[in-house]
Amino acid sequence: MSISLSPSQQEISRLKREVSTLQQEAHGRDFGEPIYVGNYLLARLEQLGVTHMFGVPGDFNLGFLDLVEDDPKMEWVGNCNELNASYAADGYARVKWRSIGVLLTTFGVGELSAINGLAGAFSEHVPVLHIVGVPSTTQMKTKPMLHHTLGDGRFDAYEKAAAQFTIAQAHPMTKETIAAEIDRVLTTCITTARPVYLTLPTDLVYAKIPSGRLLTPLQAIPPQNNPDEEAFILDEIVKLIREAKGEVVILVDACAVRHHVIEETRELVKRTGFPVYSAPMGKGAMIERDERFGGIYVGSLTREDIKEKVENAKLILSIGSLKSDFNTGNFTYSIPTARTVELHSDHTKVRYAYYPNIVMKHLLPKLTARLEPMAPKASQLPVASFDPITPPDEPSPVITHDWLWPRIGKFLRSKDVVVAETGTSSFGILEVPLPEDAVCVSQILWGSIGYTVGSTLGAALAARETKMNRTILFVGDGSLQLTVQEISVMIKTGVTPILFVLNNSGYTIERHLHGWERKYNDITNWKWTELFSLFQGSTSKPKGKSYTVYTKTDLDELLSNEEFASAKEIQLVEVIMDKFDAPRALRRQAELSGKMNRYVPLSPTQ
């Protein structure tokens, strides 16, 4: 888990950038063509690999939007609302590794609408830049009663709100400082994998500033570890592994993905042969059909064979853990601290000892080199089987979750991007082994229903850029109703996801948590297969195909159809399911959550 670089690290990084810039200026490279502030920001984003910007136009960002639209390397993706835009930026960043998501909103009304999406990105370690077009620097100082304000002169109210959900903020008021402020928040964004906030006053967008700083790339890699401390820690870890006689299990989690150590972690597994498992938020980080991958560990919710292998290991090497309730089976990890080594993006823990600023990015390759001689024995350690499950032979034609997810496992292909909505889908996908280089996008910690619809748009655009395969969304009917408008933007941008709508007549995850028969868990049933005609308006050639499947045979035949599976156009599949049915893991999680929430009246003596 990462919160931020230490103050000393941040200062060292900043000073290095400033020294480099001063050196360039001394050599006369900063006296080229001046550049607009808006173009400077776009150039920095393009250096980070950003080619799409999400958001909604508003009068305080329109001048900057002219530059965005005229930039040949940046595509403006106008969203239906700011919340969806923030979800899309999140999904884009998750699929386009080593880049960031970017959204643009206007002052007050726009930025507040986006905050829920930014909070999710903060919670789940996703790098997103939120640009807010604000009034001129003069108005920000004099505070007139402008539209989009609270009418009481508190122009900083929104900045204070943003500070709760972003790791760094910049409010530049002069052209002399704005380039340094842009660089500062972007560097923090890429090094901490957290969202950041930048206000852009209307009168600074077209201010001319020197362009020389652009010659110095932003530093994305964390500072090197202290060599003496790192050597000591490596010795300690190797000693513990030897004491465990090599009976070690690797457990991979979310921050291995967010902080870009997937390659280093896969190399560790490849060169040592130690068994490897994932937490739910780390799903997709490892090659799940590799013989050394044993499955998903979720505490007491775990399949018994997987649970036994992980919890009986003499030592757990944990990489990038994020121990939230749904990620740990309601905190039921049975892994004592005394048998755990934790590697993180900003610290390392060896049993009870805590070492700040010893980062896994630099530690992992050296640990791999030290452990490689143990490969002959490590590769013989037994691993639980995570082979694709055969769909059960159920007599009923009704589509059940026990049947659905194994069948979906047969449908998935290499390099697919699988987006699973909070609820039945995010739990159902856990037991589906992903093909090689497939990516799984879900929001297990923040858990905002409707997130995946906007996220699918961003993920699909990133997948198209990075030559991934299909983008496939699994979303419940209740969740889809929150953010359904973004299907219109999918059609506009030409992405071709497959949208599986699990129609179970409402909020099934909530039914299992509480209110089994309550009306508040019901929703209005829409005509789902008519959405495409609604969202593309009048057109001579309608885009997309829609299907409704009622039985296992219906769905099996559709999934086996190569034209459908090729995903050459956007498609929606309404899957009719029983409103009380749910995946095994969700049922068990609901039991644990119900006990924790204790939604029962207390007796007078309690």
Side-chain angles (χ1 to χ4, degrees), residues 509-518 520-521 599-600:
I509 185 172
E510 311 295 2
R511 295 188 201 282
H512 281 263
L513 290 170
H514 186 76
W516 189 254
E517 295 278 6
R518 289 289 184 176
Y520 52 66
N521 284 326
Y599 282 130
V600 293

Side-chain angles (χ1 to χ4, degrees), residues 35-46:
I35 190 172
Y36 290 140
V37 164
N39 288 134
Y40 181 93
L41 174 56
L42 289 170
R44 276 303 194 202
L45 295 178
E46 288 158 11

Side-chain angles (χ1 to χ4, degrees), residues 28 81 138 225 254 290 310 328 354 426 435 520:
N81 60 55
T138 299
N225 296 328
D290 184 87
V310 173
T328 62
Y354 179 91
S426 61
Y520 52 66

Side-chain angles (χ1 to χ4, degrees), residues 79-89 454-455 482-486:
N79 297 92
C80 296
N81 60 55
E82 293 86 357
L83 175 61
N84 290 354
S86 62
Y87 288 159
S455 183
L482 273 76
T483 48
V484 68
Q485 313 98 312
E486 230 49 39

Side-chain angles (χ1 to χ4, degrees), residues 153-343:
R154 287 185 296 141
F155 276 43
D156 64 346
Y158 317 130
E159 298 172 3
K160 290 179 178 178
Q164 307 305 310
F165 308 105
T166 55
I167 195 69
Q169 307 81 37
H171 315 291
M173 295 291 282
T174 68
K175 70 176 187 178
E176 287 75 23
T177 62
I178 195 166
E181 287 292 273
I182 289 170
D183 289 357
R184 176 179 64 82
V185 294
L186 284 177
T187 299
T188 304
C189 183
I190 60 179
T191 54
T192 65
R194 287 279 175 84
V196 296
Y197 175 88
L198 170 68
T199 57
L200 197 56
T202 55
D203 59 332
L204 289 186
V205 173
Y206 288 90
K208 291 287 187 74
I209 60 174
S211 58
R213 295 180 68 100
L214 294 173
L215 297 173
T216 306
L218 300 179
Q219 182 59 258
I221 300 175
Q224 293 290 328
N225 296 328
N226 177 287
D228 293 335
E229 192 172 2
E230 182 180 68
F232 172 80
I233 292 169
L234 285 168
D235 286 343
E236 289 295 296
I237 295 173
V238 171
K239 183 174 74 172
L240 287 175
I241 292 174
R242 285 176 177 155
E243 289 174 358
K245 297 181 180 179
E247 293 184 29
V248 176
V249 159
I250 299 170
L251 183 59
V252 183
D253 208 342
C255 290
V257 180
R258 306 290 189 266
H259 295 278
H260 311 302
V261 295
I262 290 179
E263 293 175 356
E264 291 85 351
T265 304
R266 289 183 177 182
E267 189 68 9
L268 171 67
V269 174
K270 178 182 176 181
R271 289 172 56 183
T272 65
F274 284 118
V276 60
Y277 299 81
S278 289
M281 290 180 71
K283 185 169 179 62
M286 297 293 98
I287 300 173
E288 296 193 354
R289 297 185 184 180
D290 184 87
E291 61 180 9
R292 302 307 290 165
F293 183 77
I296 308 296
Y297 177 68
V298 207
S300 65
L301 309 189
T302 312
R303 250 173 43 195
E304 280 303 317
D305 56 336
I306 297 173
K307 188 171 182 289
E308 186 271 332
K309 292 289 189 299
V310 173
E311 295 181 356
N312 288 342
K314 292 184 178 179
L315 189 70
I316 302 293
L317 185 58
S318 171
I319 302 176
S321 67
L322 212 169
K323 297 176 183 176
S324 70
D325 53 353
F326 277 20
N327 203 36
T328 62
N330 256 51
F331 311 113
T332 57
Y333 268 23
S334 292
I335 305 174
T337 302
R339 290 195 281 122
T340 304
V341 172
E342 293 186 19
L343 308 185

